[in-house]
Amino acid sequence: MSAEVWILGGTGRSGRAVAAELVARGVTPVLVGRDAERLARVAERAGGGRTVVAGAVDATAAEIRRQRPAVVINTIGPFLSSATPIARACLAAGSDYIDLANDVAAANALLRLHDEAVAAGRTLVTGAGFGATATESVVVKLCEDRPEPLSVRVDMVPSLAIEAGVMGEALARTLFEGLPGVEGGSRFGGRRYRDGALVAARLGGEALRLTLPDGSQVTTSSMPLGELVAARRASGAPSVVAASSEVPDAPVVRAVLPAALSLLAIGPLREFLIRRMAGLEFKARERPREYSWGHARVRWADGSVREGWLRVGDAQQFTGAVPAEAAFRLLAGTGAAGVSFPAALFGPSLAEACGGEYLIPEPAGKAS
Ligand SMILES: NC(=O)c1ccc[n+]([C@@H]2O[C@H](COP(=O)([O-])OP(=O)(O)OC[C@H]3O[C@@H](n4cnc5c(N)ncnc54)[C@H](OP(=O)(O)O)[C@@H]3O)[C@@H](O)[C@H]2O)c1
């Protein structure tokens, strides 16, 4: 067993952000990817560590089994395809595992490996990015030393600078994956928890105008991403809604969104859209607002309500910091065998170590 931290997808946007954050913590990562030249260029800027060329997910899993790194950080989306084979290779090798998945299907697939991870005595962490961790951290903070609440709503409000380049297949496929195999509704429909079970919910529904702590306003609406599962597990609440500011907020778009997404069920059309999106060119853009926010509102059976915020800067930078900090803590031996989301495993301090700051107003009075 080596003491190495491997970053799979090491040349990608997230891989590079994670590498920079590891270097800032005194850990030189090993970059793993498909293109030797690009890997070497990125590695030079990320502490000069070694690189591993592996052509595809199966080849990467074989290298993990062979070389047995201490921690593997997986940034290869869609995670529904990559997470299980890579995590299984980690369990066989005795490595801990972290991924950036932020969709319900991938999170549920990894959670199914819980017993195997416990038996192997290894830690598998999912949702280690802005998506999932920012809101989960607020839920963990609000629920500390409290009984299980009745309901939770989480809202994620990311703000990130965009670098010039193409979207790429990993991100395009992740966006169009939908919720294959997720109970409670259709692949391209919404979800929420009711009475402790996943049930269908309107995509872009439950719209809420939020006033952020800095006084600006955003509208968030229902979007079943990884934070839905993270918030349910962190709180134990039977009723959970996850919402995002990234759902287009024009009423006409919201009205046609469910019908438009149902077209993605047509395989060839979905494949066509993925290929078009993967080649989509981004122009460089400054981040649209100074801060990114995670927000949660929690209600208990006695009528009490608490809400709180996590304020972070650039969401992509936070996405780099969370897996780096989690790896740093795993190297220090503070993991726990099984599958966890980051804040449930490491507590609310994880987000603070990644540059986040909690803003928790005094508890509100009893709800009417
Ligand atoms: N949880 C969160 O908050 C959060 C935030 C940001 C991103 N993400 C997720 O993280 C994933 C990566 O996003 P990104 O923006 O970093 O994408 P990206 O810039 O396209 O990077 C993806 C990386 O994965 C590699 N890759 C893709 N498919 C592969 C395969 N089949 N086998 C081996 N390597 C493969 C790519 O290698 P090549 O360069 O060789 O193609 C590239 O290095 C996406 O799924 C995205 O949704 C999550």
Side-chain angles (χ1 to χ4, degrees):
M1 166 68 57
S2 75
E4 288 179 340
V5 177
W6 284 21
I7 303 176
L8 315 186
T11 58
R13 280 175 291 260
S14 303
R16 282 178 279 129
V18 177
E21 292 287 338
L22 276 170
V23 170
R25 287 164 176 76
V27 178
T28 303
V30 173
L31 303 185
V32 185
R34 301 188 280 199
D35 182 318
E37 240 172 70
R38 253 184 312 136
L39 276 172
R41 265 202 313 275
V42 177
E44 206 178 290
R45 278 180 265 130
R50 73 184 189 98
T51 61
V52 173
V53 181
V57 169
D58 285 352
T60 307
E63 282 304 318
I64 291 168
R65 283 189 163 87
R66 204 168 65 76
Q67 300 196 38
R68 306 177 64 218
V71 182
V72 171
I73 300 173
N74 178 16
T75 79
I76 303 174
F79 295 94
L80 191 57
S81 314
S82 71
T84 300
I86 298 291
R88 280 228 160 93
C90 287
L91 296 183
S95 313
D96 289 326
Y97 168 92
I98 299 166
D99 74 34
L100 271 63
N102 195 28
D103 63 277
V104 174
N108 282 350
L110 199 74
L111 286 163
R112 283 195 279 276
L113 299 186
H114 183 75
D115 291 346
E116 283 177 53
V118 171
R122 299 302 353 142
T123 306
L124 309 180
V125 182
T126 190
F130 177 82
T133 312
T135 52
E136 186 211 9
S137 297
V138 184
V139 173
V140 170
K141 181 96 176 157
L142 293 176
C143 292
E144 266 178 332
D145 306 322
R146 298 290 315 257
E148 276 187 3
L150 277 185
S151 67
V152 173
R153 175 181 173 123
V154 291
D155 304 273
M156 67 117 127
V157 183
S159 175
L160 64 159
I162 293 188
E163 59 179 45
V166 293
M167 176 181 280
E169 200 166 327
L171 190 51
R173 283 206 180 275
T174 306
L175 290 174
F176 285 105
E177 194 62 33
L179 303 172
V182 174
E183 68 270 25
S186 68
R187 176 167 176 182
F188 297 102
R191 294 290 192 287
R192 57 164 294 165
Y193 284 96
R194 184 171 286 126
D195 300 327
L198 279 170
V199 296
R202 189 180 168 78
L203 268 176
E206 315 232 21
L208 183 66
R209 192 85 179 138
L210 278 175
T211 302
L212 305 175
D214 65 8
S216 59
Q217 293 202 317
V218 294
T219 300
T220 62
S221 62
S222 168
M223 177 66 99
L225 296 171
E227 47 265 37
L228 180 65
V229 185
R232 157 90 181 135
R233 290 173 63 86
S235 66
S239 170
V240 182
V241 170
S244 164
S245 61
E246 298 305 280
V247 185
D249 71 352
V252 63
V253 177
R254 289 227 170 109
V256 300
L257 192 63
L261 286 173
S262 68
L263 291 175
L264 292 174
I266 304 167
L269 177 59
R270 187 171 68 251
E271 205 46 42
F272 170 76
L273 288 171
I274 287 170
R275 294 202 181 287
R276 289 298 291 264
M277 289 290 281
L280 199 72
E281 289 205 29
F282 293 130
K283 288 201 177 112
R285 187 197 76 179
E286 295 289 314
R287 67 179 193 256
R289 64 178 84 77
E290 187 175 4
Y291 298 115
S292 302
W293 301 90
H295 173 251
R297 187 174 191 275
V298 184
R299 188 166 65 85
W300 282 268
D302 67 358
S304 60
V305 174
R306 295 189 75 194
E307 82 178 302
W309 302 83
L310 180 78
R311 181 175 70 193
V312 309
D314 188 286
Q316 179 71 48
Q317 189 191 351
F318 190 75
T319 290
V322 172
E325 180 64 24
F328 187 70
R329 292 181 182 210
L330 289 173
L331 287 175
T334 57
V339 185
S340 304
F341 282 90
L345 177 61
F346 294 116
S349 70
L350 178 87
E352 290 172 314
C354 297
E357 190 180 337
Y358 293 101
L359 305 176
I360 312 281
E362 282 304 302
K366 304 253 170 177
S368 55

